Amino acid sequence: MMLAIGLNNLPLIKEGDELEKIIAKAIEEKGIKLEDGDIIVVTEKIVSKAEGRVIELNKIKASKKAQELAEKTGKDPRLVELMLREFKEVIKIGENFIIGETKHGFICANAGIDQSNIEEGKVKLLPENPDKSAERIRKFLEKKFNVRLGLIISDSFGRPFRKGSVGVALGASGVIALQDRRGNEDIYGKKLRVTRVAIADCLASLAILITGEGNERIPVVIIKGLDYLGEGKASDLLREKEKDVFR
Amino acid sequence: MMLAIGLNNLPLIKEGDELEKIIAKAIEEKGIKLEDGDIIVVTEKIVSKAEGRVIELNKIKASKKAQELAEKTGKDPRLVELMLREFKEVIKIGENFIIGETKHGFICANAGIDQSNIEEGKVKLLPENPDKSAERIRKFLEKKFNVRLGLIISDSFGRPFRKGSVGVALGASGVIALQDRRGNEDIYGKKLRVTRVAIADCLASLAILITGEGNERIPVVIIKGLDYLGEGKASDLLREKEKDVFR
């Protein structure tokens, strides 16, 4: 049996906040007992905010290239400027979107820059190194509660071919991110062929069902009863450009 | 708090089985009390089997076109023949894969034809009309247990840009499939912009964490404590070809 509990008792997070301590306090206040094997999903929003990845748009000056792309896409030139700083490659543009590959290797629209759940006039970039952030938060919580945990930093991305966004793991620590089951057997004893499961992304999608994406104020989900601790990182899930038939 | 329970007490499913009755029996045997709002995820595998979508490969004769594609991709010509019958359009081919759009509108590798968890020499096609199958199973269980349920028929697909497969809803009934949150407010009272969430796919990804994809024999997951009943269908999630920038 799997259990997932959302934490709705965190304060609004701001730059410089020690997020791991705030999460620990929220867990204690809720009276949740962490156990070995629990997996904690933290939404990217609060990680980025705590890490100061918040930018005042009117302090940004758009380059010529950004202005051109802004005209083509109908987006704010200052936002486009930030995207160009975050992307290492622009892949597709269209009305109101720019899809590219971020410095981390994520392929997403608008470099994951988000204007929701942030003060007017400000925008939020993705964390600099979400795998590292995940590790930092995990290690703090493991020490604090004396348990072995997995930790995911989650976001939601749209995707080709299907409508709507689903969860993605931007960062992961202490969990299996990509489970390679090739060589395992099926129920008839035959070898499984192409079964690599993106466990960390599935965990992020599970979390979305609980966090919502609006004003729910549930930025942390604690998952109990699964068996996915391991040595994975979210970067395990990045597909190399040359192996991607849709780029 | 969300709870998910896997059913590991179903018999091996075969053609002609009345799947809805078998699931009902498994729920009763486990002593699970269904409640209004519960969502049941059923893996595609057992739906397809019960519906007789199982083919003996050596009864298939490959057309010339299938033979050509088989040579290019290194796949079994009889399998390719089946794929060509299932696909309405082939989109990309490569070493050991053919990606296309099925008659249902799913974009996936190898037309979702699966050789795992099926007897040697046989393969399994996707259900003919998974939304309809989902509705049939849902209505049976609702009547039987006198509750309002959601039902998802789940599969796992690979995807562009990221490694590993995640859950997809092939069929859905009684649940929100695509949640449109545009117009809702964020925590600062600003309108959310582009927030459509693929709830049904997130539910399918959640289920994968419990069903596994190998010999676990957990083909049904019961999810309690979420609030996603609605009028959705899995076909709500299909993106129109002309709106897909990666086709």
Side-chain angles (χ1 to χ4, degrees):
Chain A
M1 187 154 74
M2 186 251 279
L3 214 76
I5 309 156
L7 296 186
N8 62 354
N9 58 334
L10 276 79
L12 281 181
I13 302 299
K14 53 189 194 308
E15 180 167 357
D17 276 348
E18 289 183 284
L19 189 57
E20 44 274 51
K21 288 189 183 166
I22 293 172
I23 294 171
K25 192 164 168 240
I27 290 170
E28 283 178 328
E29 279 180 6
K30 280 270 172 192
I32 295 167
K33 196 179 158 6
L34 292 187
E35 298 156 291
D36 284 340
D38 288 355
I39 297 168
I40 299 182
V41 183
V42 180
T43 56
E44 168 273 339
K45 280 185 179 59
I46 60 171
V47 177
S48 296
K49 279 188 182 178
E51 294 181 356
R53 298 278 285 162
V54 173
I55 308 270
E56 274 187 58
L57 257 193
N58 60 23
K59 288 191 176 165
I60 299 296
K61 197 173 150 16
S63 64
K64 193 153 173 258
K65 197 177 164 196
Q67 287 174 348
E68 285 169 14
L69 253 179
E71 249 173 65
K72 280 188 197 158
T73 56
K75 297 193 85 69
D76 185 322
R78 300 164 303 173
L79 257 181
V80 177
E81 173 64 27
L82 288 174
M83 288 175 203
L84 291 178
R85 293 180 196 173
E86 292 294 302
F87 278 140
K88 62 182 178 194
E89 186 186 344
V90 170
I91 296 173
K92 293 257 184 204
I93 65 164
E95 206 183 305
N96 209 27
F97 73 83
I98 300 174
I99 293 171
E101 180 178 349
T102 69
K103 284 176 280 187
H104 328 77
F106 304 130
I107 294 175
C108 57
N110 308 325
I113 297 173
D114 197 351
Q115 293 176 281
S116 68
N117 286 310
I118 192 144
E119 298 92 332
E120 196 70 50
K122 293 184 180 178
V123 298
K124 189 179 48 54
L125 314 180
L126 296 183
E128 287 268 10
N129 185 337
D131 271 334
K132 208 168 142 192
S133 304
E135 192 185 15
R136 188 190 74 237
I137 300 169
R138 172 176 74 93
K139 290 203 161 159
F140 178 89
L141 296 174
E142 284 189 331
K143 199 167 165 199
K144 166 93 183 170
F145 294 105
N146 193 29
V147 283
R148 285 190 58 225
L149 302 172
L151 199 131
I152 303 274
I153 294 173
S154 68
D155 200 356
S156 62
F157 286 178
R159 57 226 162 123
F161 311 149
R162 289 176 75 77
K163 288 183 190 167
S165 53
V166 294
V168 285
L170 300 184
S173 178
V175 294
I176 295 167
L178 182 67
Q179 184 180 48
D180 195 341
R181 306 197 57 170
R182 290 171 297 186
N184 286 19
E185 288 183 353
D186 72 6
I187 58 178
Y188 293 94
K190 289 182 303 175
K191 296 269 179 249
L192 293 175
R193 287 168 170 223
V194 250
T195 307
R196 293 200 302 176
V197 186
I199 296 295
D201 286 343
C202 290
L203 288 163
S205 282
L206 182 172
I208 279 186
L209 294 165
I210 294 168
T211 60
E213 292 284 291
N215 59 3
E216 291 84 352
R217 298 216 27 208
I218 303 174
V220 177
V221 176
I222 295 166
I223 302 166
K224 290 174 165 288
L226 294 178
D227 185 16
Y228 289 115
L229 293 203
E231 297 295 308
K233 298 187 301 297
S235 53
D236 300 344
L237 293 163
L238 302 176
R239 178 165 280 154
E240 304 81 353
K241 184 176 176 176
E242 54 280 5
K243 290 204 177 158
D244 205 318
V245 296
F246 287 98
R247 284 184 68 179
Chain B
M1 187 153 73
M2 186 251 280
L3 215 74
I5 308 156
L7 296 186
N8 62 354
N9 58 334
L10 276 78
L12 281 180
I13 302 299
K14 53 188 194 309
E15 180 167 359
D17 277 349
E18 289 183 284
L19 189 57
E20 44 273 52
K21 288 189 183 167
I22 293 172
I23 294 171
K25 191 164 170 241
I27 290 170
E28 284 178 327
E29 280 179 7
K30 280 269 171 191
I32 296 167
K33 195 177 158 9
L34 292 187
E35 297 156 292
D36 283 340
D38 288 355
I39 297 168
I40 299 182
V41 183
V42 181
T43 58
E44 167 273 340
K45 281 186 179 55
I46 61 172
V47 177
S48 296
K49 279 187 182 180
E51 292 180 0
R53 298 278 286 163
V54 173
I55 309 271
E56 274 186 59
L57 259 193
N58 60 22
K59 287 192 177 164
I60 299 296
K61 197 172 149 17
S63 62
K64 193 153 171 260
K65 195 176 165 197
Q67 287 174 349
E68 285 169 13
L69 252 180
E71 250 174 64
K72 280 189 196 157
T73 56
K75 296 195 84 72
D76 184 321
R78 300 165 304 175
L79 257 180
V80 177
E81 173 63 29
L82 287 174
M83 289 175 202
L84 291 177
R85 293 182 195 171
E86 292 293 304
F87 278 140
K88 62 182 177 195
E89 185 187 343
V90 170
I91 296 174
K92 292 258 183 201
I93 65 164
E95 207 183 303
N96 209 27
F97 73 82
I98 300 173
I99 294 170
E101 179 177 350
T102 69
K103 282 177 280 188
H104 327 79
F106 304 130
I107 294 175
C108 58
N110 308 324
I113 297 173
D114 197 351
Q115 293 176 281
S116 67
N117 287 311
I118 192 142
E119 297 93 335
E120 196 70 51
K122 293 185 180 176
V123 298
K124 189 179 49 53
L125 314 181
L126 296 183
E128 288 268 11
N129 187 338
D131 272 333
K132 208 169 143 191
S133 304
E135 192 185 16
R136 188 190 75 237
I137 300 170
R138 172 176 75 92
K139 291 205 159 157
F140 179 90
L141 295 175
E142 283 189 332
K143 199 168 166 197
K144 167 93 184 166
F145 295 105
N146 193 28
V147 284
R148 287 191 57 225
L149 302 172
L151 199 131
I152 303 274
I153 294 173
S154 68
D155 200 356
S156 62
F157 285 178
R159 58 225 162 123
F161 312 148
R162 289 176 75 77
K163 289 183 189 167
S165 53
V166 294
V168 284
L170 299 184
S173 178
V175 295
I176 296 167
L178 183 66
Q179 185 180 46
D180 195 342
R181 305 197 56 170
R182 290 172 296 186
N184 286 20
E185 289 183 355
D186 72 6
I187 58 177
Y188 294 94
K190 288 182 304 176
K191 296 268 177 250
L192 293 176
R193 288 168 170 223
V194 250
T195 307
R196 294 201 300 177
V197 186
I199 296 295
D201 285 343
C202 290
L203 288 162
S205 281
L206 183 172
I208 278 188
L209 293 165
I210 294 168
T211 60
E213 291 286 291
N215 59 3
E216 290 85 351
R217 296 212 33 205
I218 302 174
V220 178
V221 176
I222 295 166
I223 301 166
K224 290 175 165 288
L226 295 178
D227 184 16
Y228 290 114
L229 292 202
E231 297 296 307
K233 298 187 302 297
S235 53
D236 300 344
L237 293 164
L238 302 176
R239 177 165 281 155
E240 303 83 353
K241 184 176 176 177
E242 53 280 7
K243 291 205 175 156
D244 205 320
V245 296
F246 287 97
R247 283 184 69 178

